[in-house]
């Protein structure tokens, strides 16, 4: 059965295939409750502090996932320009201020050392399609993504971006958009895991996740799902959340927040884990087939 497609969120990519970099925007049709949970020790982010439980906004117009390391955060300016022209954002006396949160992966050493700019962000925001129509693989922010980079004796594998859904009958659907750019691998090889880390590429890793809950949820559930997203990552990629990664999970509620029962919150968290696992498997299976 094809999952129901939410109409209030769309995805757009900008890709520089020659330079192996790009950016991806998740654009909502209004300010949308969102939280973030960052587990890696080397993140590159923008406008994430305002998503804390004690902050006054706690919602975003868009999430930008981008290559180019910290340079790539400039692409969020382009997304803001598009939204500003539409009158979107938090109302202020001087006009609306669009809220675009962002996180980066490091891909500067994969192709050419260039990065997405504000023009790239504008292009991504101008190429929006329904989430099930968005291209996946080595496009957008996934263009220069790689994984299995902890061991000098093994060649890194192409990563990428993938979208997966897990439906909860009678409740809703958890969508997981995952960008895999990890230092770790899917292999359970303890001998490799414990090798000397001194030769590892310390700054070229990060897995980003945008979780979309399409159904009733409350603020506590968003936070539990962020934890669950990281659990799904850590179950498949070893190691995860290292000092060499900047792993981050955004979780957004596509319907207005409402009180739900603890059992439903549990279901959302499990669905999030399963969706993240499915997205990662899609990326790694595709990578393995290319090697084969």
């Amino acid at each position: 059965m094809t999952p129901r497609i939410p109409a209030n969120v769309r995805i757009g990519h900008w890709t520089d295939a020659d330079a192996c970099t790009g950016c991806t925007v998740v654009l909502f049709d209004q300010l949308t409750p969102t939280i973030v949970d960052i587990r890696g020790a080397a993140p590159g982010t923008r406008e994430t502090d305002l998503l804390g439980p004690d902050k006054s906004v706690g919602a975003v117009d868009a999430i930008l996932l981008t290559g180019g390391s910290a340079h790539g955060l400039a692409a969020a300016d382009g997304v803001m320009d598009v939204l500003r022209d539409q009158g979107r954002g938090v109302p202020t006396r001087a006009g609306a201020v669009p809220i675009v949160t962002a996180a980066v992966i490091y891909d500067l050493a994969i192709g050419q050392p260039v990065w997405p700019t504000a023009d790239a962000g504008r292009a991504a925001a101008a190429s929006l399609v329904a989430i099930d129509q968005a291209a996946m693989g080595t496009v957008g922010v996934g263009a220069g993504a790689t994984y299995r980079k902890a061991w000098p004796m093994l060649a890194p594998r192409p990563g990428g971006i993938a979208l997966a859904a897990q439906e909860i009958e009678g409740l809703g659907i958890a969508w997981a958009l995952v960008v895999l750019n990890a230092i770790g691998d899917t292999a359970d090889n303890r001998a490799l895991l414990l090798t000397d880390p001194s030769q590892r590429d310390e700054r070229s890793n990060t897995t980003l996740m945008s979780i979309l809950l399409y159904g009733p949820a409350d603020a506590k559930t968003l936070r539990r799902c962020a934890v669950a997203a990281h659990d799904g990552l850590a179950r498949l990629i070893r190691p995860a959340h290292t000092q060499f990664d900047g792993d981050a999970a955004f979780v957004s509620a596509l319907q207005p927040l409402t009180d739900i029962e603890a059992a439903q919150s549990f279901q959302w968290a499990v669905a999030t884990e399963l969706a993240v696992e499915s997205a990662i498997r899609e990326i790694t299976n595709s990578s393995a087939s290319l090697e084969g």
Side-chain angles (χ1 to χ4, degrees):
M1 182 176 65
T2 302
R4 290 170 291 127
I5 310 302
N8 56 347
V9 58
R10 292 174 291 165
I11 293 174
H13 298 302
W14 173 86
T15 306
D16 185 334
D18 293 330
C20 296
T21 192
C23 62
T24 298
V25 62
V26 180
L27 187 69
F28 305 102
D29 68 352
Q30 61 183 347
L31 278 167
T32 295
T34 298
I35 64 95
V36 64
D37 188 328
I38 298 171
R39 298 293 177 94
T45 59
R46 167 174 168 156
E47 294 280 46
T48 52
D49 284 350
L50 57 76
L51 301 179
D54 60 336
K55 300 303 186 291
S56 60
V57 178
V60 302
D61 291 295
I63 298 170
L64 177 76
L65 309 177
T66 181
S69 190
H71 297 292
L73 290 172
D77 290 338
V79 181
M80 286 191 69
D81 289 346
V82 172
L83 293 173
R84 181 190 59 203
D85 292 344
Q86 298 172 1
R88 295 278 306 275
V90 173
T92 76
R93 287 183 294 175
V97 177
I99 305 299
V100 179
T101 190
V104 305
I105 68 167
Y106 182 99
D107 56 8
L108 294 174
I110 303 303
Q112 303 169 22
V114 299
W115 48 84
T117 62
D119 285 342
R122 280 188 284 270
S127 64
L128 298 167
V129 297
I131 63 174
D132 66 321
Q133 298 299 312
M136 295 292 149
T138 52
V139 298
V141 63
T146 55
Y147 72 101
R148 196 176 73 173
K149 292 173 282 188
W151 306 282
M153 72 289 292
L154 297 177
R157 284 177 165 167
I161 185 169
L163 178 71
Q166 180 62 52
E167 186 161 8
I168 308 167
E169 186 175 357
L171 182 58
I173 304 170
W175 294 86
L177 183 68
V178 178
V179 186
L180 183 62
N181 187 59
I183 195 172
D185 189 17
T186 54
D188 186 10
N189 190 325
R190 292 172 184 264
L192 279 179
L193 288 174
L194 296 173
T195 54
D196 181 358
S198 60
Q199 299 302 312
R200 295 175 181 171
D201 187 347
E202 298 182 7
R203 300 184 184 276
S204 64
N205 319 292
T206 286
T207 295
L208 304 177
M209 299 170 279
S210 174
I211 311 301
L212 309 170
L213 304 186
Y214 187 33
D218 55 24
K220 289 182 179 179
T221 297
L222 299 191
R223 301 204 168 276
R224 294 313 308 165
C225 287
V227 173
H230 283 293
D231 290 341
L233 166 63
R235 222 179 343 264
L236 290 188
I237 300 298
R238 308 177 183 87
H241 310 141
T242 74
Q243 63 267 49
F244 309 121
D245 291 281
D247 304 329
F250 297 90
V251 182
S252 305
L254 299 182
Q255 295 183 1
L257 294 178
T258 184
D259 291 338
I260 62 172
E261 298 177 357
Q264 293 174 313
S265 184
F266 174 87
Q267 288 177 292
W268 275 125
V270 173
T272 296
E273 291 184 28
L274 295 176
V276 168
E277 290 177 17
S278 295
I280 292 174
R281 285 195 183 96
E282 184 171 332
I283 295 169
T284 57
N285 288 344
S286 176
S287 178
S289 67
L290 290 174
E291 285 193 344

